[in-house]
Each structure stands twice: as C-alpha cells, then as structure tokens.
Amino acid sequence: MKGRTTLKDVAKIAGVSIGTASMAINHNPLVNEETRKKVLEIAAELEYVPNEIARRFQAQRTNTIAVVIPHTASHVFSHPYFNGIFLGITEVLEKYGMTLNISTSPAETDEQSAYQKILQNRAADGVIVASAAATDKNAFRFAQLGYPVVFIGDFLEEGITSVGVDDYAGAFEATEHLIKVHGFSRLAHISGPLEHSSARTRLDGLLEALQAHQLELLPSDLYEGDYSQEAGYVGMKRLIALDDPPRAVFIGNDLMSVGALQALGEAGLSAPKDVAIVSFDDVHLAQLTSPPLTTVRQPIKELGHSAAEILMERLTGDVDTGSWQRTTDGQHHKFETKLVVRRSCGCTGGDS
Amino acid sequence: MKGRTTLKDVAKIAGVSIGTASMAINHNPLVNEETRKKVLEIAAELEYVPNEIARRFQAQRTNTIAVVIPHTASHVFSHPYFNGIFLGITEVLEKYGMTLNISTSPAETDEQSAYQKILQNRAADGVIVASAAATDKNAFRFAQLGYPVVFIGDFLEEGITSVGVDDYAGAFEATEHLIKVHGFSRLAHISGPLEHSSARTRLDGLLEALQAHQLELLPSDLYEGDYSQEAGYVGMKRLIALDDPPRAVFIGNDLMSVGALQALGEAGLSAPKDVAIVSFDDVHLAQLTSPPLTTVRQPIKELGHSAAEILMERLTGDVDTGSWQRTTDGQHHKFETKLVVRRSCGCTGGDS
DNA sequence: TCCCCTTTTTGAAACGTTTCAAATTTCTCA
DNA sequence: TGAGAAATTTGAAACGTTTCAAAAAGGGGA
C-alpha cells in the first residue's frame, strides 16, 4: 500500500507536466494524440491507477448512493424483501458506475444512527430511505437539508419524492377474495408495525373491504406484528387460542405467514383447512411453503430500481422509466399490485 | 450541498488557527480545555460536519471493506447464503465503524470486473472474497499485490488467508447417513460448479464415503449444477428421467434442493417416499420446504463474521475469536459442520 | 522575416483535512 | 524580576487529483 505510483511519477517519466498527464489519462481532447499515447504507455508500464479518493476529494462527490434502512443489519439481511430492493438498486447503480452503501442501525431502537452516519459524513451523493416509519422525523431531515433523497414507501408529504405500491388496493383485493370467493364473513388480521404507513394502509384496505360487505374487524382479531417470522408465529398462536378462533386471516407480509403456518402446524392445524391465509409481498418463500401462499404481489425489485433511477435522474438529468404499471404526480410514484392465487386461501389453483 | 461550512469557517469565527480547530474537534489533548470548548461550541452552532472524503484523502485510507463476489448482483441477492455472509460481516464492521462495499460483476462471465472495480480504485482498505472459483486467477492477484484479503472458502494455498468449512466431513456424514441409516446402496449427486472447491470437496466427501462402503457413483448419477434453484430443478428432472432412477440424492446446497423438490412435485413424485434427499447449508429455506430438508449445517454467519474479524485484525492488530468450533493453522481457518436431520431423508424426526 | 492565429503545454491554485516543527504564551521558582 | 520549562497555538506542508489562465510552440500568409 505504500508508495503507490502517482500521477507525478507518470508525468515525470513521460517528461510532461502533471496537468498534461492528467488530461491525457482522462482523454481530454486538448492534448496532442502523440503525447497521450506516450503518457498512456508509461502509465501502463508503471501500473498506474488513479487514487479514487483523491479524485472524489477534488471533485467533491463520492460516487456513492446510500440506502438507509432504520433497522438492524440482522433484520435487514434476514428479510427477503430487502434483497429485492437491493437487487433493483444495484442494477441501476451498476449502469451509472456508482457504489452502493447499505446503512443500517446498530440497534433497533437507535433510529438516529443510520441517518447520522450518512448525514454526518456527507458520505453519499444521494440517499434512498427504505422501510422508515411514517413518524420517523429523522428521515425527513434529509429532504429538508436539501439532500437528494428518495423514499421507498408511502410518503406522500409535499416536497418529498417517494416510490410505493398501492397497499390499499392490494389489501382490499386480498380481503375481497376471502369474502367473495371463499365466503368468509369474519376475518382476522396480523398486521405490520402500525407506525409504518405500509402496515397502516393495508389495515385500511382491509377495513374498507370489510365495510363494503357490512363486516367488521373484531378488536381481538387484530394482532400488530413487526413483519418478522416470529411475529407471525406469535400472532397466529394468539388467534387460535381465542375462544372462537377466526377461520380466515389476512397477514401483512409473507414472512409473517411463514411464522403463522408454523404456529398452525404445531397446534395440529393446517391451512387452508382450518384457517385460510392470504398475505402480502410474494417473495420467493411464498411458493415454497405448504401450502404455497396466496399473496398480493408487489414489484419489490422494481421499487428499488425505480427509486434508484429517480435518484440518478435528479443527480444527472437522465430519464428512464420501468415497465410495471405506475402512477405518479411527479413526486409520488405508485406501483400497482396484483393478487397471486395459490393454495393457502383454499383455492386449488396453480402453484406459481 | 454548496458552500458547506468548513473547518476554516469554524476556526475563523472561533478566532483560532485551523490547526487548533482541527485538534479541538478531534479531542487532541494538546489543546487547552477552554479553547476546545469554544471551538466545539462554534462548530455546533455552525452545524459543522467534517468532510469525510477529505479526511480519507488525508489519512490515505477509506474506512471501507469490500466484499468481492465474482457473480452478478442478481445471483448474489437471490442466494440466501450471501445474506448470512453479509450479516456476519456487517456485525463486525459496525463494531469498527467501517463501511461495507458489496462488489459484484455486471455479467456472470465477467470475472475480472468485480475485482478490477476494487483493485483499480484502491477504494477499500481490505477485501473479503467470497464464492470465487478455485481456478480464479484474479482472486489471487489481490493477495499477490499485498492487499489485505481474506477468502471465504477452501483456499489452502500458501500465503493466502482463508475461512472455510469442513465440506469434506459434512459431505461424508450426509452420505453415510443415507447409507447407514436408510440403507441405500446407490446414491446420486447434484453438485455445485466443480471449479469451485466447495463443490469439488463435497463431491470428494461423497465419493470417499461411498468407497468406504464399497459403493460407486455412476457417471449418469452425477449432475453438475451451479447452486441455483434452476439447476436443482433441471438436475432432478434428469435423474428421474433415467431408465432406472436413483432413490436417494445428495444435493450440493439447499437452494438446489428446493428446485429438485419442485421437479419431483411436477413429476407426481415426492420426497422422501420416492427419492430421499440430503443437502447442504441449512439456510432458512431448509425448514420451510415440504418435507423440510435434512441438510448439513454450515455456520454461514460465522464465516462472514470470522472473515471480517480476521481482516480487521490484520488492519488493526486486535483479536477476537468466535464461538463455533474451528481449527486453524494460522492462515486457513476451518469450521465444523453438522448434519441436521429433518424429513427429506426419510427420517421422521423433529423439524428444526 | 514578422505577425497573428491555433494548438498544445505548463504551472499554480484549489479541494478540506491532519500533522508537526517552530513560535508564542503562560507558568514556576530561584 | 528573570530564566527556563511547560503548555498552547500557529502556520505551512502534505495527501493526489483536476482545472484553467497564461505561456509556449507551431503554422501560415504577406
């Protein structure tokens, strides 16, 4: 690591000034073709590689995009949802030659930290915030401070750019499926954390659909989870321990459904025979459970893709829109969802 | 982003020199307590945040560790294995206040690229290489160039530091389980890519175990996959299409087993009734399939953890060893594996 | 040969920080 | 009160690159 060959070395040996060497290497048309060739030759010979940090320093930009997720690394790397997000983002950044910086919080309670790490350092040219609570004040500081930032989720405030899915319609459709196709007149719900707008909106969609059929959600039929497998497990345990357990449950995401199925299994029950289940996300896991999950598909990868693309637009001026259906008011982009019918709801249909 | 307050501003207003301001902010004991207080006050007032890039530039270090994985982002983010690796690494880096940079290749064939991105930029203080082929020349350049690097996998060359698991023993145990507990006298194998030492070594373990019981692997009973779900699917299709299909298969990782189960299902067959399956990894998925997979557990998170810890040792001098069983000759660290018996092999045991 | 125009090269400044030898101030004690 | 020591502050260099005004070199026509 010591004494790397620097531009100065190249220049000296090539017998030109540092400025010229720099321009030669950066294909600046100002330099004579002969000179460039010589410089490039020497550079190759000396195995010169530009010092990226110095470059960033002088250009005052980092070539890095940070994804801020106010959860622990353990949470983030065990939820398949984030894999999809990362994948979508990476695809875009690769195209632009940018680097991805995943910023998590050391402790689940420590919301501050993930933001501060970025904010304090100014170590990214732009930020994508994913899975923030609607109440998360820190998240909004980015935008207020004029940092280029895109939110993933339903953040509809003025002055904020966001990319989300139609949680409401998805939940509505899921609920109606259980009511209209399978004839249930009572539904339970295992929700995500209700200070997250995704969880809140899915609950709203459920309630609205129930109401459309003159039905209600019993307070004891609602369990607020946190999108983790564990929460689904506990939630389902609770529900089946009720005096009169519900026969159909809408679960806020697939991972919780996995936990719920586990709870059913341990109680000697099974879906859809004893309890019909519909959930949300359609991550890879959803096809693997038994029964495979009927679930509302959201275009997770596209969310990441889109967020990154919008951010890069802001940073560079380019434009590229994806292929999923989406609506936008210029600031808030919303993708559509669709119900994927498998077997956990009682349907006997296909498997993918 | 323009005109951020800089150290110069703070110094000027505080009425001290830039040097003093710098020392005050970095809690250098040389500066007078009074002075420090004043500087810190002004800094807070001006909302001064140090320019991280400038710091890195002057210190000539990046505070970043790169994980180089010579596969596409899509491959990486869809394999649960890497989640575990990331998780383990992140835990350590968080402790040291380092940043993680995940470096993938734009195309599967483009082995070079992932390395070059790092190498060309010198954009990381150290590197962890995961899932490289044993034949991958690029990987070794890091080490040769004196870059601090740790390999995850069985790279036993002199002068290379690596962290791996005992693939051989794991495969041996899995094979013996099928032979001794379930009485099979013929086994098939769906392997990973054989230019990867993990796949090669698992095959060796299988062969050795077979030989110990005077058994052989028929050439037609070996399918070389690439650790993807798709490969498991195709491999199993092939095997059950044989005139005399095998009744027991050792599959190189869990993800391929998922594909294999899918193939069985489509053919109207099931495990373990028609084909017994034992696989490798014990990722989260393994518990979810039906039947749940009997599989060789490897401590994936600990691999990442350990690799990062060793790398940080090299960079800083600290020492911390984990809790899993591991052997080491100072350069090559090897974790033990253990067979987790579930139901895909024909056992009727527990579920976790 | 001289002048002007074009092409190419040079040299220095700038980016924001840390470091450290030298300068300055403050303190201690005879 | 003054000398020497200790504590504190200063100022400039250094990190490696890009940029750009100014200088130099080259070329063409009168």
Side-chain angles (χ1 to χ4, degrees), chain B residues 116-127:
Chain B
Q116 286 195 336
K117 271 197 284 189
I118 297 301
L119 215 41
Q120 296 245 340
N121 291 343
R122 236 66 159 196
D125 295 336
V127 173

Side-chain angles (χ1 to χ4, degrees), chain A residues 61-299:
Chain A
R61 58 200 307 276
T62 63
N63 275 326
T64 295
I65 295 297
V67 186
V68 172
I69 305 175
H71 298 280
T72 61
S74 152
H75 178 106
V76 170
F77 287 123
S78 60
H79 281 58
Y81 173 83
F82 293 110
N83 278 312
I85 297 289
F86 293 149
L87 179 51
I89 294 176
T90 306
E91 281 182 359
V92 176
L93 296 193
E94 215 147 59
K95 196 172 74 184
Y96 287 95
M98 305 279 290
T99 291
L100 176 63
N101 174 344
I102 299 174
S103 191
T104 54
S105 293
E108 199 69 61
T109 53
D110 193 4
E111 274 188 350
Q112 282 261 44
S113 178
Y115 299 107
Q116 286 195 336
K117 270 197 285 188
I118 298 303
L119 216 40
Q120 297 245 340
N121 292 344
R122 236 69 158 193
D125 296 336
V127 173
I128 294 174
V129 176
S131 191
T135 56
D136 187 339
K137 289 295 169 213
N138 292 297
F140 299 110
R141 283 191 62 202
F142 279 119
Q144 284 160 5
L145 292 173
Y147 224 104
V149 54
V150 175
F151 284 75
I152 294 183
D154 303 330
F155 293 89
L156 302 178
E157 283 77 3
E158 191 54 42
I160 285 189
T161 305
S162 70
V163 177
V165 301
D166 197 339
D167 288 305
Y168 182 87
F172 195 97
E173 186 179 6
T175 306
E176 279 225 312
H177 181 82
L178 287 172
I179 297 173
K180 288 179 37 181
V181 177
H182 297 285
F184 290 106
S185 60
R186 173 184 166 204
L187 295 189
H189 181 44
I190 299 177
S191 77
L194 291 174
E195 81 268 18
H196 281 235
S197 65
S198 64
R200 170 67 61 185
T201 311
R202 287 171 203 177
L203 174 58
D204 288 347
L206 167 86
L207 291 173
E208 206 64 39
L210 284 174
Q211 194 161 17
H213 294 268
Q214 282 79 47
L215 301 175
E216 292 197 329
L217 179 68
L218 301 178
S220 57
D221 280 353
L222 172 64
Y223 178 83
E224 179 179 352
D226 64 358
Y227 286 143
S228 72
Q229 182 173 344
E230 181 67 14
Y233 178 85
V234 174
M236 186 56 92
K237 280 260 183 220
R238 289 274 175 90
L239 292 176
I240 57 185
L242 292 175
D243 288 342
D244 176 22
R247 307 296 306 269
V249 188
F250 170 48
I251 300 182
N253 73 343
D254 290 339
L255 201 56
M256 291 200 292
S257 295
V258 168
L261 288 174
Q262 206 181 335
L264 285 178
E266 287 184 13
L269 303 173
S270 77
K273 189 163 67 68
D274 302 295
V275 181
I277 289 178
V278 173
S279 72
F280 210 104
D281 275 2
D282 195 27
V283 294
H284 183 224
L285 289 175
Q287 304 168 46
L288 300 177
T289 53
S290 55
L293 298 172
T294 290
T295 188
V296 178
R297 174 178 299 171
Q298 59 167 326

